[in-house]
Amino acid sequence: MHNIEEAAEFLRQKGFGDADVGVVMGTGLGGFARHFKVEKQVVYGKIPHFPVATMEYHAGKLLIGTCHGKKVIAMQGRFHHYEGYSMKEVTFPIRVMKMLGIKHLLLSNAAGGINLDFKKGDLVMLEDHINLQTENPLRGPNVEFLGPRFPDMSEPYSKELGARLMKIAKEQGTTLLQGVYVAVNGPNFETRAEYRYLNHLGADMVGMSTVPEVIVACHMGIPVVAVSVITDECDPDNLHPVDMEDLVKTAEKADEKLSKAFAELIGTL
Ligand code: HPA
């Protein structure tokens, strides 16, 4: 049996089968767990073939429960390439969630604001991305039952889901901006010259996650919606050292609004 199938089978036995929606909660964004009725949880270390979370700001648990009548699997904490995982490991949980039945994927992350109109604490929905990460999760022999060799990336973020989320945010009185996310390897933050460069490239925000997950979701034909919380302003002419504690606090503060919008969106799926 394929490792993905083995992990999925283990989780099915634990009641994680027949899921409708997958959610990945980024740095400081674990509050979505309060917006649904968590029925079961498993720490990543217990799941066969799952990478083990090393990031101190992530809980490292897979949750299942119901949200507005939908069965939701939520990852509290994700895997990053900079932690030393291969991109296949980083995206393994997304593959497993697909085997468990998810038909939609909702992602959140903390990101630096390249577009200087964006301020700390702003929520920005990804309308597109630029991938500057050096390893691709699809590199190597294609697993035909998962998806095609050359997946289309003309609409990596579902326009339909995005429009729904924008409408919900508006109804909830939450400002939801839109922008292009650029993914970098990390783990260092960028130099002033790099922020200028990323701006020239056409990026509005920068982060070290999300894009590999989106690539495998596209490969498997799962519609995605993703939102960044701007945790620091990347102004090359007025750059301050990033304070990691402050970054996490900023994400935590914005979390409630984002989680509320995600929960409502799930109700419409
Ligand atoms: N750069 C890269 N990743 C980030 C940043 C940043 O400024 N802020 C949060 N994640």
Side-chain angles (χ1 to χ4, degrees):
M1 210 191 319
H2 203 281
N3 287 352
I4 296 168
E5 240 328 298
E6 235 168 68
E9 188 48 36
F10 170 88
L11 288 164
R12 257 183 232 117
Q13 304 284 334
K14 296 233 172 305
F16 281 69
D18 301 318
D20 299 304
V21 184
V23 179
V24 181
M25 302 178 250
T27 305
L29 297 164
F32 176 74
R34 288 192 297 272
H35 285 261
F36 74 116
K37 197 168 156 283
V38 179
E39 282 145 18
K40 294 210 175 78
Q41 34 181 297
V42 185
V43 295
Y44 292 154
K46 290 245 158 41
I47 308 168
H49 312 294
F50 243 62
V52 177
T54 65
M55 205 22 205
E56 61 189 302
Y57 301 101
H58 289 281
K61 274 187 293 189
L62 199 66
L63 317 173
I64 184 128
T66 42
C67 178
H68 294 288
K70 300 291 183 323
K71 210 162 169 191
V72 175
I73 302 183
M75 286 181 69
Q76 203 159 32
R78 57 153 58 89
F79 301 100
H80 301 85
H81 192 49
Y82 63 74
E83 291 173 277
Y85 302 114
S86 71
M87 284 304 192
K88 287 222 179 342
E89 291 174 306
V90 166
T91 54
F92 184 81
I94 310 296
R95 300 291 201 194
V96 173
M97 288 198 280
K98 163 76 178 177
M99 294 300 118
L100 294 170
I102 67 160
K103 285 153 210 81
H104 301 92
L105 182 63
L106 280 49
L107 307 169
S108 64
N109 63 53
I114 302 277
N115 179 336
L116 297 178
D117 292 338
F118 294 172
K119 301 297 168 208
K120 238 169 86 168
D122 280 353
L123 295 177
V124 187
M125 190 171 78
L126 280 67
E127 57 175 283
D128 208 341
H129 72 226
I130 299 169
N131 185 15
L132 292 187
Q133 293 186 328
T134 41
E135 192 188 321
N136 191 296
L138 306 181
R139 182 171 167 267
N142 185 48
V143 183
E144 286 299 323
F145 80 92
L146 294 174
R149 171 73 290 185
F150 301 108
D152 184 70
M153 293 294 282
S154 58
E155 194 188 313
Y157 302 90
S158 162
K159 285 209 176 87
E160 200 216 318
L161 288 185
R164 280 196 220 183
L165 188 65
M166 291 299 288
K167 183 165 172 275
I168 288 164
K170 199 166 175 203
E171 284 162 6
Q172 293 180 342
T174 293
T175 305
L176 183 58
L177 305 164
Q178 294 190 67
V180 174
Y181 177 95
V182 59
V184 295
N185 283 330
N188 58 285
F189 291 105
E190 290 66 37
T191 64
R192 287 172 297 133
E194 284 165 343
Y195 285 134
R196 271 191 207 104
Y197 159 76
L198 296 173
N199 191 12
H200 282 302
L201 278 186
D204 293 300
M205 59 269 193
V206 54
M208 306 170 193
S209 69
T210 306
V211 165
E213 296 153 10
V214 173
I215 291 173
V216 299
C218 282
H219 181 238
M220 299 187 291
I222 307 173
V224 176
V225 70
V227 176
S228 292
V229 175
I230 302 299
T231 51
D232 52 302
E233 294 166 21
C234 309
D235 180 356
D237 299 319
N238 184 28
L239 193 62
H240 307 288
V242 177
D243 173 344
M244 202 56 204
E245 297 299 324
D246 182 63
L247 184 153
V248 174
K249 267 196 208 126
T250 303
E252 283 170 353
K253 245 191 260 167
D255 188 12
E256 178 57 24
K257 282 192 277 184
L258 175 57
S259 295
K260 207 170 130 200
F262 269 8
E264 189 78 24
L265 175 65
I266 289 169
T268 73
L269 299 175

Short mmCIF file of all heavy atoms in Angstrom, two decimals, residues 64-92:
data_model
loop_
_atom_site.label_atom_id
_atom_site.label_comp_id
_atom_site.label_asym_id
_atom_site.label_seq_id
_atom_site.Cartn_x
_atom_site.Cartn_y
_atom_site.Cartn_z
N ILE A 64 -10.51 16.58 13.70
CA ILE A 64 -11.69 16.38 12.87
C ILE A 64 -12.92 16.78 13.67
O ILE A 64 -12.98 16.58 14.88
CB ILE A 64 -11.83 14.93 12.32
CG1 ILE A 64 -13.04 14.82 11.38
CG2 ILE A 64 -11.97 13.91 13.43
CD1 ILE A 64 -12.78 14.25 10.06
N GLY A 65 -13.88 17.37 12.97
CA GLY A 65 -15.09 17.78 13.65
C GLY A 65 -16.09 18.31 12.67
O GLY A 65 -15.91 18.17 11.46
N THR A 66 -17.15 18.93 13.17
CA THR A 66 -18.16 19.47 12.27
C THR A 66 -18.26 20.98 12.43
O THR A 66 -18.11 21.53 13.51
CB THR A 66 -19.55 18.85 12.53
OG1 THR A 66 -19.75 18.77 13.94
CG2 THR A 66 -19.70 17.47 11.93
N CYS A 67 -18.50 21.60 11.27
CA CYS A 67 -18.63 23.06 11.22
C CYS A 67 -19.79 23.32 10.28
O CYS A 67 -19.73 22.95 9.10
CB CYS A 67 -17.33 23.65 10.67
SG CYS A 67 -17.34 25.43 10.49
N HIS A 68 -20.85 23.92 10.80
CA HIS A 68 -22.05 24.18 10.00
C HIS A 68 -22.48 22.93 9.22
O HIS A 68 -22.78 23.00 8.03
CB HIS A 68 -21.84 25.33 9.02
CG HIS A 68 -21.65 26.66 9.70
ND1 HIS A 68 -22.67 27.33 10.33
CD2 HIS A 68 -20.55 27.43 9.87
CE1 HIS A 68 -22.22 28.46 10.84
NE2 HIS A 68 -20.93 28.55 10.58
N GLY A 69 -22.45 21.80 9.88
CA GLY A 69 -22.91 20.55 9.25
C GLY A 69 -21.92 19.88 8.32
O GLY A 69 -22.22 18.81 7.77
N LYS A 70 -20.75 20.47 8.11
CA LYS A 70 -19.75 19.88 7.21
C LYS A 70 -18.66 19.20 8.05
O LYS A 70 -18.30 19.69 9.12
CB LYS A 70 -19.09 20.95 6.33
CG LYS A 70 -20.06 21.71 5.45
CD LYS A 70 -20.60 20.83 4.37
CE LYS A 70 -21.53 21.51 3.40
NZ LYS A 70 -22.44 22.51 3.90
N LYS A 71 -18.17 18.11 7.51
CA LYS A 71 -17.09 17.41 8.21
C LYS A 71 -15.74 18.03 7.80
O LYS A 71 -15.39 18.04 6.62
CB LYS A 71 -17.13 15.91 7.86
CG LYS A 71 -16.61 15.07 8.98
CD LYS A 71 -17.03 13.62 8.86
CE LYS A 71 -16.25 12.79 9.88
NZ LYS A 71 -16.38 11.36 9.68
N VAL A 72 -15.05 18.55 8.78
CA VAL A 72 -13.83 19.32 8.54
C VAL A 72 -12.62 18.63 9.15
O VAL A 72 -12.67 18.20 10.31
CB VAL A 72 -13.96 20.73 9.17
CG1 VAL A 72 -12.66 21.51 9.03
CG2 VAL A 72 -15.10 21.50 8.53
N ILE A 73 -11.55 18.51 8.36
CA ILE A 73 -10.26 18.09 8.93
C ILE A 73 -9.40 19.33 8.98
O ILE A 73 -9.26 20.05 7.98
CB ILE A 73 -9.54 17.05 8.04
CG1 ILE A 73 -10.40 15.82 7.83
CG2 ILE A 73 -8.21 16.65 8.70
CD1 ILE A 73 -9.69 14.73 7.03
N ALA A 74 -8.83 19.61 10.14
CA ALA A 74 -8.00 20.81 10.26
C ALA A 74 -6.61 20.44 10.74
O ALA A 74 -6.45 19.67 11.68
CB ALA A 74 -8.65 21.80 11.21
N MET A 75 -5.62 21.02 10.07
CA MET A 75 -4.23 20.85 10.50
C MET A 75 -3.87 22.03 11.37
O MET A 75 -3.87 23.17 10.89
CB MET A 75 -3.29 20.87 9.29
CG MET A 75 -3.32 19.62 8.45
SD MET A 75 -2.16 19.77 7.06
CE MET A 75 -0.57 19.73 7.92
N GLN A 76 -3.58 21.72 12.65
CA GLN A 76 -3.11 22.79 13.52
C GLN A 76 -1.59 22.77 13.46
O GLN A 76 -0.94 22.00 14.17
CB GLN A 76 -3.63 22.55 14.93
CG GLN A 76 -3.68 23.81 15.76
CD GLN A 76 -4.64 23.68 16.93
OE1 GLN A 76 -4.82 22.60 17.48
NE2 GLN A 76 -5.27 24.79 17.31
N GLY A 77 -1.05 23.59 12.59
CA GLY A 77 0.39 23.56 12.33
C GLY A 77 0.68 22.82 11.05
O GLY A 77 0.08 21.80 10.77
N ARG A 78 1.59 23.39 10.27
CA ARG A 78 1.96 22.78 8.99
C ARG A 78 3.45 22.48 8.97
O ARG A 78 4.17 22.81 9.90
CB ARG A 78 1.59 23.71 7.83
CG ARG A 78 2.20 25.09 7.91
CD ARG A 78 2.38 25.75 6.55
NE ARG A 78 1.19 25.93 5.76
CZ ARG A 78 0.38 26.98 5.80
NH1 ARG A 78 0.62 27.96 6.65
NH2 ARG A 78 -0.67 27.07 5.01
N PHE A 79 3.89 21.86 7.90
CA PHE A 79 5.31 21.54 7.74
C PHE A 79 5.92 22.51 6.73
O PHE A 79 5.28 22.87 5.74
CB PHE A 79 5.46 20.10 7.26
CG PHE A 79 4.86 19.12 8.22
CD1 PHE A 79 3.61 18.57 7.98
CD2 PHE A 79 5.52 18.79 9.39
CE1 PHE A 79 3.03 17.69 8.89
CE2 PHE A 79 4.95 17.92 10.30
CZ PHE A 79 3.70 17.36 10.05
N HIS A 80 7.13 22.94 7.01
CA HIS A 80 7.81 23.90 6.13
C HIS A 80 9.07 23.26 5.57
O HIS A 80 9.74 22.48 6.25
CB HIS A 80 8.21 25.16 6.90
CG HIS A 80 7.06 25.88 7.53
ND1 HIS A 80 6.57 25.53 8.77
CD2 HIS A 80 6.30 26.91 7.10
CE1 HIS A 80 5.56 26.32 9.07
NE2 HIS A 80 5.37 27.17 8.08
N HIS A 81 9.40 23.67 4.37
CA HIS A 81 10.61 23.19 3.72
C HIS A 81 11.86 23.55 4.54
O HIS A 81 12.79 22.76 4.66
CB HIS A 81 10.67 23.84 2.32
CG HIS A 81 11.69 23.23 1.42
ND1 HIS A 81 11.81 21.88 1.22
CD2 HIS A 81 12.66 23.81 0.64
CE1 HIS A 81 12.79 21.65 0.37
NE2 HIS A 81 13.32 22.79 0.01
N TYR A 82 11.85 24.76 5.16
CA TYR A 82 13.04 25.21 5.89
C TYR A 82 13.31 24.37 7.13
O TYR A 82 14.42 24.39 7.68
CB TYR A 82 12.94 26.70 6.27
CG TYR A 82 11.81 27.05 7.20
CD1 TYR A 82 11.87 26.72 8.56
CD2 TYR A 82 10.69 27.73 6.75
CE1 TYR A 82 10.83 27.04 9.42
CE2 TYR A 82 9.65 28.04 7.59
CZ TYR A 82 9.73 27.70 8.92
OH TYR A 82 8.70 28.01 9.77
N GLU A 83 12.34 23.62 7.58
CA GLU A 83 12.55 22.74 8.74
C GLU A 83 13.40 21.53 8.36
O GLU A 83 13.82 20.77 9.23
CB GLU A 83 11.21 22.27 9.30
CG GLU A 83 10.41 23.39 9.95
CD GLU A 83 9.02 22.92 10.35
OE1 GLU A 83 8.12 22.91 9.49
OE2 GLU A 83 8.83 22.56 11.53
N GLY A 84 13.58 21.34 7.07
CA GLY A 84 14.40 20.23 6.60
C GLY A 84 13.59 19.15 5.89
O GLY A 84 14.16 18.18 5.40
N TYR A 85 12.28 19.33 5.83
CA TYR A 85 11.43 18.35 5.14
C TYR A 85 11.53 18.53 3.63
O TYR A 85 11.67 19.66 3.14
CB TYR A 85 9.97 18.52 5.55
CG TYR A 85 9.74 18.38 7.02
CD1 TYR A 85 9.32 19.46 7.78
CD2 TYR A 85 9.97 17.16 7.66
CE1 TYR A 85 9.13 19.34 9.15
CE2 TYR A 85 9.78 17.03 9.02
CZ TYR A 85 9.36 18.12 9.77
OH TYR A 85 9.18 18.00 11.11
N SER A 86 11.42 17.43 2.92
CA SER A 86 11.33 17.54 1.46
C SER A 86 9.95 18.10 1.14
O SER A 86 9.04 18.05 1.98
CB SER A 86 11.48 16.16 0.83
OG SER A 86 10.32 15.39 1.10
N MET A 87 9.76 18.58 -0.07
CA MET A 87 8.45 19.11 -0.45
C MET A 87 7.39 18.02 -0.47
O MET A 87 6.21 18.28 -0.30
CB MET A 87 8.53 19.81 -1.80
CG MET A 87 9.19 21.17 -1.72
SD MET A 87 8.37 22.25 -0.54
CE MET A 87 9.13 23.80 -0.98
N LYS A 88 7.82 16.79 -0.69
CA LYS A 88 6.86 15.66 -0.64
C LYS A 88 6.35 15.49 0.78
O LYS A 88 5.18 15.21 1.01
CB LYS A 88 7.53 14.38 -1.15
CG LYS A 88 7.75 14.37 -2.65
CD LYS A 88 7.42 13.02 -3.25
CE LYS A 88 7.61 12.97 -4.76
NZ LYS A 88 7.68 14.17 -5.54
N GLU A 89 7.26 15.65 1.76
CA GLU A 89 6.85 15.56 3.17
C GLU A 89 5.96 16.74 3.55
O GLU A 89 4.95 16.57 4.23
CB GLU A 89 8.09 15.51 4.08
CG GLU A 89 8.87 14.20 3.96
CD GLU A 89 10.17 14.21 4.75
OE1 GLU A 89 10.99 15.14 4.56
OE2 GLU A 89 10.37 13.29 5.54
N VAL A 90 6.35 17.92 3.08
CA VAL A 90 5.59 19.14 3.40
C VAL A 90 4.13 18.98 2.96
O VAL A 90 3.20 19.41 3.64
CB VAL A 90 6.24 20.37 2.71
CG1 VAL A 90 5.32 21.58 2.71
CG2 VAL A 90 7.57 20.72 3.38
N THR A 91 3.94 18.33 1.80
CA THR A 91 2.60 18.26 1.21
C THR A 91 1.89 16.93 1.48
O THR A 91 0.74 16.75 1.07
CB THR A 91 2.69 18.47 -0.32
OG1 THR A 91 3.64 17.52 -0.86
CG2 THR A 91 3.16 19.87 -0.65
N PHE A 92 2.56 16.04 2.17
CA PHE A 92 1.99 14.72 2.46
C PHE A 92 0.60 14.82 3.11
O PHE A 92 -0.35 14.14 2.68
CB PHE A 92 2.97 13.93 3.34
CG PHE A 92 2.56 12.52 3.63
CD1 PHE A 92 2.77 11.50 2.71
CD2 PHE A 92 1.97 12.19 4.85
CE1 PHE A 92 2.40 10.19 2.99
CE2 PHE A 92 1.59 10.89 5.14
CZ PHE A 92 1.80 9.88 4.20
#
